[in-house]
mmCIF file of all heavy atoms in Angstrom:
data_model
loop_
_atom_site.group_PDB
_atom_site.id
_atom_site.type_symbol
_atom_site.label_atom_id
_atom_site.label_comp_id
_atom_site.label_asym_id
_atom_site.label_seq_id
_atom_site.Cartn_x
_atom_site.Cartn_y
_atom_site.Cartn_z
ATOM 1 N N VAL U 79 9.079 -113.399 260.348
ATOM 2 C CA VAL U 79 8.405 -112.819 259.205
ATOM 3 C C VAL U 79 9.160 -111.547 258.796
ATOM 4 O O VAL U 79 9.411 -111.341 257.520
ATOM 5 C CB VAL U 79 6.989 -112.378 259.625
ATOM 6 C CG1 VAL U 79 6.251 -111.566 258.542
ATOM 7 C CG2 VAL U 79 6.140 -113.621 259.818
ATOM 8 N N ARG U 80 9.600 -110.738 259.640
ATOM 9 C CA ARG U 80 10.443 -109.498 259.166
ATOM 10 C C ARG U 80 11.725 -109.883 258.526
ATOM 11 O O ARG U 80 12.187 -109.269 257.506
ATOM 12 C CB ARG U 80 10.736 -108.604 260.458
ATOM 13 C CG ARG U 80 9.383 -108.040 261.057
ATOM 14 C CD ARG U 80 9.371 -106.659 261.367
ATOM 15 N NE ARG U 80 10.567 -106.287 262.256
ATOM 16 C CZ ARG U 80 10.655 -104.992 262.771
ATOM 17 N NH1 ARG U 80 9.714 -104.128 262.441
ATOM 18 N NH2 ARG U 80 11.660 -104.664 263.571
ATOM 19 N N GLU U 81 12.376 -110.906 259.103
ATOM 20 C CA GLU U 81 13.615 -111.408 258.537
ATOM 21 C C GLU U 81 13.379 -111.911 257.140
ATOM 22 O O GLU U 81 14.161 -111.595 256.165
ATOM 23 C CB GLU U 81 14.198 -112.494 259.377
ATOM 24 C CG GLU U 81 15.791 -112.562 259.274
ATOM 25 C CD GLU U 81 16.271 -113.645 260.253
ATOM 26 O OE1 GLU U 81 15.893 -113.573 261.491
ATOM 27 O OE2 GLU U 81 17.207 -114.405 259.859
ATOM 28 N N LEU U 83 10.937 -111.234 254.994
ATOM 29 C CA LEU U 83 10.509 -110.179 254.044
ATOM 30 C C LEU U 83 11.652 -109.137 253.732
ATOM 31 O O LEU U 83 11.472 -108.395 252.751
ATOM 32 C CB LEU U 83 9.136 -109.531 254.457
ATOM 33 C CG LEU U 83 8.034 -110.437 254.664
ATOM 34 C CD1 LEU U 83 6.756 -109.676 255.043
ATOM 35 C CD2 LEU U 83 7.720 -111.243 253.335
ATOM 36 N N SER U 84 12.679 -109.186 254.534
ATOM 37 C CA SER U 84 13.725 -108.203 254.143
ATOM 38 C C SER U 84 14.986 -108.964 253.754
ATOM 39 O O SER U 84 16.095 -108.346 253.609
ATOM 40 C CB SER U 84 14.016 -107.316 255.419
ATOM 41 O OG SER U 84 14.297 -108.158 256.502
ATOM 42 N N ARG U 317 6.362 -115.701 248.694
ATOM 43 C CA ARG U 317 7.761 -115.602 248.306
ATOM 44 C C ARG U 317 8.329 -116.982 247.926
ATOM 45 O O ARG U 317 7.680 -118.089 248.214
ATOM 46 C CB ARG U 317 8.636 -115.121 249.424
ATOM 47 C CG ARG U 317 8.197 -113.712 249.979
ATOM 48 C CD ARG U 317 8.550 -112.578 248.931
ATOM 49 N NE ARG U 317 8.386 -111.227 249.553
ATOM 50 C CZ ARG U 317 7.310 -110.583 249.526
ATOM 51 N NH1 ARG U 317 6.210 -111.003 248.966
ATOM 52 N NH2 ARG U 317 7.286 -109.313 250.162
ATOM 53 N N LEU U 340 1.233 -112.481 258.168
ATOM 54 C CA LEU U 340 1.216 -111.252 258.837
ATOM 55 C C LEU U 340 0.394 -111.200 260.095
ATOM 56 O O LEU U 340 0.688 -110.627 261.098
ATOM 57 C CB LEU U 340 0.744 -110.164 257.887
ATOM 58 C CG LEU U 340 1.508 -109.993 256.553
ATOM 59 C CD1 LEU U 340 0.875 -108.830 255.743
ATOM 60 C CD2 LEU U 340 2.944 -109.748 256.871
ATOM 61 N N VAL U 366 3.081 -105.373 261.282
ATOM 62 C CA VAL U 366 3.504 -105.609 259.878
ATOM 63 C C VAL U 366 2.219 -105.744 259.016
ATOM 64 O O VAL U 366 2.317 -106.487 257.931
ATOM 65 C CB VAL U 366 4.489 -106.820 259.767
ATOM 66 C CG1 VAL U 366 5.829 -106.492 260.315
ATOM 67 C CG2 VAL U 366 3.894 -108.086 260.321
ATOM 68 N N PHE U 368 1.115 -103.867 256.865
ATOM 69 C CA PHE U 368 1.400 -103.472 255.505
ATOM 70 C C PHE U 368 2.552 -104.194 254.926
ATOM 71 O O PHE U 368 3.195 -103.731 253.941
ATOM 72 C CB PHE U 368 1.656 -101.925 255.533
ATOM 73 C CG PHE U 368 0.457 -101.099 255.747
ATOM 74 C CD1 PHE U 368 0.307 -100.265 256.961
ATOM 75 C CD2 PHE U 368 -0.611 -101.094 254.977
ATOM 76 C CE1 PHE U 368 -0.701 -99.427 257.208
ATOM 77 C CE2 PHE U 368 -1.783 -100.250 255.083
ATOM 78 C CZ PHE U 368 -1.753 -99.487 256.297
ATOM 79 N N GLY U 369 2.981 -105.317 255.485
ATOM 80 C CA GLY U 369 4.137 -105.960 255.044
ATOM 81 C C GLY U 369 5.357 -105.442 255.530
ATOM 82 O O GLY U 369 5.351 -104.567 256.533
ATOM 83 N N TYR U 370 6.518 -105.830 255.010
ATOM 84 C CA TYR U 370 7.880 -105.289 255.523
ATOM 85 C C TYR U 370 8.829 -105.480 254.422
ATOM 86 O O TYR U 370 8.706 -106.411 253.559
ATOM 87 C CB TYR U 370 8.257 -106.227 256.750
ATOM 88 C CG TYR U 370 9.366 -105.615 257.483
ATOM 89 C CD1 TYR U 370 9.252 -104.498 258.384
ATOM 90 C CD2 TYR U 370 10.663 -106.228 257.515
ATOM 91 C CE1 TYR U 370 10.213 -103.998 259.019
ATOM 92 C CE2 TYR U 370 11.712 -105.756 258.233
ATOM 93 C CZ TYR U 370 11.507 -104.592 258.973
ATOM 94 O OH TYR U 370 12.593 -104.064 259.753
ATOM 95 N N GLY U 371 9.878 -104.657 254.387
ATOM 96 C CA GLY U 371 10.967 -104.830 253.349
ATOM 97 C C GLY U 371 10.593 -104.185 252.072
ATOM 98 O O GLY U 371 9.752 -103.231 252.083
ATOM 99 N N VAL U 372 11.174 -104.563 251.026
ATOM 100 C CA VAL U 372 11.107 -103.834 249.722
ATOM 101 C C VAL U 372 9.662 -103.753 249.046
ATOM 102 O O VAL U 372 9.338 -102.927 248.325
ATOM 103 C CB VAL U 372 12.020 -104.418 248.628
ATOM 104 C CG1 VAL U 372 13.516 -104.077 248.980
ATOM 105 C CG2 VAL U 372 11.876 -105.835 248.356
ATOM 106 N N HIS U 373 8.834 -104.678 249.470
ATOM 107 C CA HIS U 373 7.395 -104.661 248.909
ATOM 108 C C HIS U 373 6.548 -104.066 249.944
ATOM 109 O O HIS U 373 5.258 -104.128 249.643
ATOM 110 C CB HIS U 373 6.958 -106.091 248.616
ATOM 111 C CG HIS U 373 7.662 -106.625 247.359
ATOM 112 N ND1 HIS U 373 7.257 -106.334 246.098
ATOM 113 C CD2 HIS U 373 8.770 -107.453 247.270
ATOM 114 C CE1 HIS U 373 8.033 -106.945 245.234
ATOM 115 N NE2 HIS U 373 8.936 -107.597 245.873
ATOM 116 N N GLN U 374 6.990 -103.455 251.007
ATOM 117 C CA GLN U 374 5.970 -102.902 251.956
ATOM 118 C C GLN U 374 5.026 -101.953 251.284
ATOM 119 O O GLN U 374 5.389 -101.171 250.270
ATOM 120 C CB GLN U 374 6.724 -102.173 253.084
ATOM 121 C CG GLN U 374 5.846 -101.845 254.271
ATOM 122 C CD GLN U 374 6.522 -101.128 255.377
ATOM 123 O OE1 GLN U 374 7.299 -100.220 255.110
ATOM 124 N NE2 GLN U 374 6.335 -101.506 256.583
ATOM 125 N N CYS U 375 3.811 -101.965 251.726
ATOM 126 C CA CYS U 375 2.643 -101.223 251.021
ATOM 127 C C CYS U 375 2.964 -99.775 250.700
ATOM 128 O O CYS U 375 3.369 -98.978 251.605
ATOM 129 C CB CYS U 375 1.444 -101.327 251.957
ATOM 130 S SG CYS U 375 -0.014 -100.552 251.215
#
Side-chain angles (χ1 to χ4, degrees):
V79 168
R80 296 223 307 186
E81 207 174 315
L83 298 182
S84 53
R317 301 291 190 269
L340 301 182
V366 289
F368 291 116
Y370 193 71
V372 291
H373 287 276
Q374 194 180 42
C375 181

